[in-house]
Amino acid sequence: MAQDNASRVTEFILLGLSDTQELQLLFFTLFLLAYAMVLLGNLLIIVTVRTDPKLSSPMYFLLCHLSFIDICYTSVTAPRVMVALLSGHKAIAFEGCMAQLFFLHFLGCSEMFLLTVMAFDRYTAICRPLHYTAIMAHGACWALVAACWGGGFIHSTVQTVLMLQLPFCGPNTIHSYFCDMPPIIRLACADTTLTEWLMASNSGLISLACFLVLVASYALILAKVRAHVSQGHWKALSTCASHAMAVTLLFTPCIFTYLRPAGTSPTNKYICIIYTTFSPIMNPLIYTL
C-alpha cells in the first residue's frame, strides 16, 4: 500500500479456492484440463465452421462467434488461477484487478446477448421459416453480433467506472480466485449501498432480462412445434434443447450472484466456477453432440 494522506490499496490478495497443498494441486489439474477442453473444443468449432461451406447458415455463424467469446472469456481467469495455484503467488495489482473485472463483464455480457440472438435465430427458423432468409441475412447477422459486443462494452464500462470511484484503504484480501464486483465491493472504505444497488440493477437485471427473453422464445417455439409436428421441426427443436442447456448453465448462477446487493451475503466462489469455467466447456459439447 502507498501512504499519502490516507493509505490506498495498490494490490489485492486473491485467497483462491483452498489453502491445502493437495487440494491446490487437484484444482490446478482440473483447471488445466478444463482450459485445454475449452480451447480445443471451441477452436475445433471455429475451424470447422470456417472451412466447411455447408456450415454457412446464420446458426453456425453465431455459434462461431460464441466459441470465440468462450475462449476469450475463460482466458481472463483460468491462466492466472493456474499460475497462482502452482506458484502460490496470490497478489494482483489494483490495475490488473480492474482490468480482469472489465474484460470478465465485457465478454460475459456479450455472451449473454449473443445467446439471446441465437434464441431469436431459432425462433425465426422455426416459427417464420419463409421469412428466415430475409430476416437473418448476412448483414443483419453482423449487425446483431456488433450490437452484442457493443452492449457488453457499455455494460462493462459502467461497472468498472462505478468500482473505480470507490475508495480502497483498508483490507485487501479477496475471498475468491478472480476479481469480481461482489467480493471487491466489500473492501471499500465507504458506504456502498447505492453502488451495490446500481451494480445489481445493471448485471442482475441484464442477466434476468436475457433469461426471460430466452424462456419466452422457447415457449413460442414449443407452441409452434406442438401445432405443426414434422421431422424438420423436431430437428430444429433438438437444437433449441441444447441451447436451453447452455443457457441454464450460464444464467442461473449469474442471476444468483448478481441479482442482489453485494453486501447481503457472501458469494460462493465454487458457484462462480460454473459460469467462468464449466459453461464454456459445455458449450462445444452441447452444440456439437
Side-chain angles (χ1 to χ4, degrees):
M1 298 184 203
Q3 299 291 332
D4 17 82
N5 293 334
S7 59
R8 177 180 175 274
V9 171
T10 58
E11 68 176 16
F12 292 107
I13 306 298
L14 297 169
L15 294 184
L17 294 167
S18 175
D19 292 328
T20 307
Q21 184 67 27
E22 291 77 10
L23 287 178
Q24 287 183 355
L25 292 175
L26 175 62
F27 282 125
F28 172 79
T29 304
L30 293 177
F31 269 93
L32 180 61
L33 292 174
Y35 190 50
M37 290 176 64
V38 169
L39 292 180
L40 293 176
N42 287 290
L43 282 174
L44 178 61
I45 289 178
I46 293 173
V47 172
T48 303
V49 172
R50 298 287 293 180
T51 56
D52 192 343
K54 296 179 181 179
L55 304 179
S56 58
S57 68
M59 182 182 72
Y60 292 107
F61 172 81
L62 297 173
L63 179 58
C64 187
H65 282 272
L66 177 66
S67 295
F68 176 73
I69 290 179
D70 278 337
I71 291 173
C72 298
Y73 181 65
T74 310
S75 298
V76 173
T77 57
R80 202 192 181 288
V81 172
M82 290 188 289
V83 171
L85 288 170
L86 202 60
S87 65
H89 182 68
K90 299 181 178 181
I92 181 172
F94 180 86
E95 295 78 7
C97 189
M98 293 299 105
Q100 187 180 63
L101 184 148
F102 174 83
F103 285 106
L104 182 77
H105 282 267
F106 171 41
L107 295 165
C109 186
S110 298
E111 178 165 352
M112 288 184 181
F113 289 145
L114 185 59
L115 286 170
T116 307
V117 170
M118 293 175 73
F120 173 74
D121 170 72
R122 291 298 84 205
Y123 164 79
T124 307
I126 296 173
C127 299
R128 304 188 64 184
L130 297 179
H131 301 88
Y132 178 72
T133 305
I135 295 175
M136 297 301 295
H138 186 70
C141 289
W142 274 109
L144 289 170
V145 169
C148 292
W149 285 103
F153 179 80
I154 294 172
H155 158 77
S156 186
T157 300
V158 171
Q159 298 292 79
T160 307
V161 168
L162 287 173
M163 189 66 70
L164 289 173
Q165 291 179 343
L166 295 176
F168 296 95
C169 55
N172 66 337
T173 302
I174 299 176
H175 293 270
S176 184
Y177 61 93
F178 66 99
C179 292
D180 199 8
M181 297 177 306
I184 296 177
I185 199 172
R186 299 189 187 97
L187 305 179
C189 307
D191 182 9
T192 61
T193 303
L194 177 60
T195 306
E196 289 179 33
W197 281 106
L198 289 173
M199 290 182 175
S201 62
N202 192 345
S203 295
L205 288 182
I206 286 177
S207 303
L208 181 61
C210 290
F211 182 71
L212 292 178
V213 170
L214 289 164
V215 171
S217 69
Y218 295 145
L220 292 172
I221 290 172
L222 287 173
K224 179 70 174 181
V225 171
R226 184 178 179 181
H228 304 280
V229 179
S230 67
Q231 184 178 359
H233 280 87
W234 282 114
K235 183 178 180 181
L237 184 62
S238 68
T239 305
C240 294
S242 63
H243 188 194
M245 293 175 63
V247 163
T248 303
L249 286 173
L250 176 64
F251 281 88
T252 304
C254 285
I255 293 173
F256 174 80
T257 300
Y258 297 112
L259 195 61
R260 56 180 180 170
T264 55
S265 59
T267 302
N268 191 323
K269 55 190 175 184
Y270 298 105
I271 291 180
C272 297
I273 297 177
I274 298 176
Y275 63 86
T276 59
T277 306
F278 188 65
S279 178
I281 293 175
M282 295 304 295
N283 278 344
L285 293 177
I286 289 172
Y287 283 106
T288 54
L289 296 180

